[in-house]
Amino acid sequence: MLFNPYFADLSNVYLFAEAENRLRAFLARTKPNNVIKMGIGDVTQPLCAAAVEAGKTAVEEMGKAESFRGYGPYRGYPFLIKSIAAYYKSRGISLDEDEIFISDGSKSDVAGFTDLFAKDNTVLLQDPVYPVYADANILHGRKIVYASATMENGFLPLPDERVKADIIYLCSPNNPTGAVYSAADLEQWVAYAKSMGAVILFDAAYEAFVTEDKKVRSIYEVRGADEVAVEFCSFSKTAGFTGVRCGYTVVPKKLANLNALWFRRQSAKSNGVSYVTQRMAEAALTNEGQKQTAAAREVYRKNAQVILQALRKTGVFHTGGVNAPYIWFKCGGSSWDFFDRLLNEVQVVGTPGVGFGRNGEGFFRLTAFNTYKNTVEAMRRIQSVLRA
């Protein structure tokens, strides 16, 4: 038996696991009154009523012989696929239903899609970036190059024709910085991908948080993107499904033979998402469901404003929070040291920027996914540290 040698190239501990380890160690030696978690991007608002009722109905169906269902279709149930296609159509984007694949979340698909490509591809990532993109390709032994996301370019790097790439990861709204590409920006990335003969893997997990008209929610808003881009999306943040697990991936049929390859990969490695879950996701996309999930997201938007207002008072550089549930600010020095300081001095948990890449050192990420009460209290505490 031989192990995959590329595991040795991964960092020893996953970013969020290391943060959790430090929190557990802190709790083991102290008895704090109230640790407020603003690190991992987990939601706090309950599932919308439409999804809950649909789930109850689906469970009852599964308890009757005449309506029981076993394994579902590998692509997902047609009723959910039709709902997703209609969701895109309402935003002016036409998709064929067999271009949509249901999964247990965009994280699984973003990592799993790398199975389709040979080792000898060069992968282009932004720095800082969601760690899964890098880890998934490191495990395949691929060469990775980086496009620097910095204060100078608004954390939205544009393509450099001097850099050769075959697989391009873009995340917008971005995790961790909260930056969002415009259509004009993405037109440059689409043109670059075409010139390179490359594919863009576009993570749109936070698209529902975009409010500004000039910012893009789907890469398919850009002409020609369906010739070079795959899009990943999720119900996790859009509809609070972090504990339910459902997402989807759009693989255009114009994009070489990737649609057929992804179907073959999914049928080989996955038995799909439960019927109950898919009925709940369908309900979240109804008119009433969208109203209800929008109300939950409004709580997070309000939290983001609390965070932004507090950071403005301290005078520290910050970005994000307007079109995304993440706020990225300059903490200076070691971001892990700042993590420890927040935890030990004021019992607040955030995410150190260096965990997202070299360019993240000296920065820190907060999420807007806690309760309003906890967010107000956390920012009161954080302000005391930043002013010290």
Side-chain angles (χ1 to χ4, degrees), residues 81-128:
I81 289 174
K82 289 179 183 294
S83 295
I84 292 170
Y87 178 62
Y88 273 85
K89 187 70 174 179
S90 70
R91 291 150 49 198
I93 300 168
S94 295
L95 299 176
D96 288 345
E97 291 177 12
D98 56 1
E99 294 178 320
I100 301 169
F101 298 79
I102 310 302
S103 73
D104 66 353
S106 57
K107 180 177 182 179
S108 298
D109 283 3
V110 162
F113 212 84
T114 60
D115 288 351
L116 274 56
F117 305 110
K119 171 186 173 181
D120 296 326
N121 282 290
T122 297
V123 179
L124 176 63
L125 305 180
Q126 296 171 307
D127 178 5

Side-chain angles (χ1 to χ4, degrees), residues 34-339:
N34 179 24
V35 174
I36 301 176
K37 297 182 180 180
M38 300 178 70
I40 193 167
D42 200 1
V43 296
T44 53
Q45 293 296 300
L47 293 171
C48 70
V52 171
E53 289 306 310
K56 290 177 181 178
T57 300
V59 168
E60 290 175 357
E61 288 180 41
M62 295 293 279
K64 300 174 183 178
E66 61 270 21
S67 53
F68 173 79
R69 291 171 174 80
Y71 293 125
Y74 287 115
R75 290 183 186 273
Y77 283 100
F79 59 78
L80 179 54
I81 289 174
K82 289 179 183 294
S83 295
I84 292 170
Y87 178 62
Y88 273 85
K89 187 70 174 179
S90 70
R91 291 150 49 198
I93 300 168
S94 295
L95 299 176
D96 288 345
E97 291 177 12
D98 56 1
E99 294 178 320
I100 301 169
F101 298 79
I102 310 302
S103 73
D104 66 353
S106 57
K107 180 177 182 179
S108 298
D109 283 3
V110 162
F113 212 84
T114 60
D115 288 351
L116 274 56
F117 305 110
K119 171 186 173 181
D120 296 326
N121 282 290
T122 297
V123 179
L124 176 63
L125 305 180
Q126 296 171 307
D127 178 5
V129 73
Y130 184 40
V132 172
Y133 308 155
D135 288 354
N137 284 285
I138 288 170
L139 288 173
H140 281 278
R142 296 193 184 96
K143 177 183 176 182
I144 299 176
V145 295
Y146 290 92
S148 287
T150 63
M151 290 172 60
E152 288 69 31
N153 60 23
F155 297 98
L156 294 169
L158 294 174
D160 183 346
E161 294 290 342
R162 298 168 297 179
V163 177
K164 175 71 172 68
D166 305 296
I167 303 168
I168 303 159
Y169 280 83
L170 298 177
C171 180
S172 179
N174 184 267
N175 180 11
T177 67
V180 187
Y181 278 115
S182 67
D185 293 334
L186 289 178
E187 284 173 3
Q188 294 186 51
W189 279 110
V190 168
Y192 171 75
K194 288 183 177 181
S195 70
M196 292 289 167
V199 61
I200 295 173
L201 303 184
F202 189 80
D203 189 345
Y206 306 99
E207 57 84 14
F209 287 88
V210 177
T211 57
E212 293 181 324
D213 291 339
K214 293 184 179 180
K215 301 297 184 180
V216 168
R217 292 173 60 185
S218 168
I219 195 167
Y220 302 125
E221 294 175 41
V222 175
R223 185 186 300 274
D226 57 351
E227 299 172 15
V228 294
V230 173
E231 182 161 291
F232 306 91
C233 208
S234 171
F235 289 90
S236 287
K237 310 307 192 299
T238 301
F241 272 40
T242 55
V244 179
R245 310 306 307 143
C246 193
Y248 54 90
T249 294
V250 179
V251 189
K253 289 182 289 187
K254 290 182 181 180
L255 222 174
N257 60 341
L258 287 183
N259 185 286
L261 288 176
W262 185 238
F263 177 77
R264 183 66 184 89
R265 188 268 184 195
Q266 290 298 80
S267 61
K269 288 195 170 187
S270 173
N271 278 324
V273 181
S274 76
Y275 171 73
V276 175
T277 297
Q278 293 192 55
R279 279 297 188 192
M280 294 173 71
E282 176 196 29
L285 288 176
T286 62
N287 289 336
E288 186 59 31
Q290 289 192 56
K291 290 178 184 178
Q292 293 169 0
T293 57
R297 292 193 301 275
E298 192 58 36
V299 172
Y300 304 136
R301 287 197 176 94
K302 187 176 179 181
N303 290 347
Q305 287 303 310
V306 170
I307 297 170
L308 292 173
Q309 289 170 12
L311 292 176
R312 289 188 194 109
K313 291 178 181 178
T314 66
V316 301
F317 171 85
H318 59 277
T319 188
V322 177
N323 295 291
Y326 298 119
I327 294 85
W328 182 250
F329 70 92
K330 197 168 186 178
C331 64
S334 164
S335 53
W336 273 116
D337 285 350
F338 188 77
F339 174 93

Side-chain angles (χ1 to χ4, degrees), residues 329-355:
F329 70 92
K330 197 168 186 178
C331 64
S334 164
S335 53
W336 273 116
D337 285 350
F338 188 77
F339 174 93
D340 290 334
R341 186 181 175 195
L342 279 188
L343 178 59
N344 286 280
E345 293 185 13
V346 295
Q347 290 78 62
V348 175
V349 177
T351 309
V354 72

Side-chain angles (χ1 to χ4, degrees), residues 306-307 309-314 342 346 376-388:
V306 170
I307 297 170
Q309 289 170 12
L311 292 176
R312 289 188 194 109
K313 291 178 181 178
T314 66
L342 279 188
V346 295
V376 170
E377 173 59 18
M379 294 315 299
R380 184 191 67 80
R381 299 180 193 180
I382 290 174
Q383 279 180 279
S384 69
V385 172
L386 291 173
R387 286 171 169 168

